[in-house]
Amino acid sequence: MGRSRASARAAGTRFERSVADYLAATVDDRIDRRVKTGAKDRGDVGGVRAVLGGRVVIECKDVSRTDLAGWTREADTERGNDDAVAGLVVHKRRGTADPADQYVTMTVRDLVALLVGTRPA
């Protein structure tokens, strides 16, 4: 039996919460799960900063079908909505619930922004 819409939403919410809580405990206690904001969504986890203080958008995905291109496009749109330097996707790794063992996908441009603190052209 597949997921219902309600169970998929609940799984997504749990996944976002676990990622936000892990980052808050290990990186910065100001990191938290964001409330959904509709058309101008700014990502699922807020309070994340790059090395020089620029905002970082995190989009979380707990789904069975992988869509890296679509997810990174969504993270980039949300990065723009938040005026952030980078947008990345944390996606569920099947077989483990540990938030530290989940996958992260981003473009090299976003990686550079994280490492140097500013977004390259």
Side-chain angles (χ1 to χ4, degrees), residues 28-97:
D28 185 329
D29 64 0
R30 295 172 290 185
I31 296 171
D32 200 5
R33 181 174 175 267
R34 280 189 167 152
V35 177
K36 302 295 181 208
T37 56
K40 291 292 183 181
D41 193 4
R42 300 180 311 144
D44 297 324
V45 178
V48 181
R49 299 291 177 161
V51 69
L52 293 180
R55 286 190 296 280
V56 176
V57 164
I58 296 179
E59 180 65 24
C60 296
K61 297 294 182 184
D62 180 0
V63 296
S64 57
R65 177 164 277 153
T66 302
D67 181 13
L68 299 180
W71 298 345
T72 54
R73 194 169 34 254
E74 180 180 358
D76 190 58
T77 298
E78 294 172 357
R79 178 200 59 76
N81 291 343
D82 197 37
D83 196 28
V85 297
L88 56 95
V89 181
V90 175
H91 45 108
K92 180 78 171 102
R93 180 177 174 193
R94 298 292 159 220
T96 180

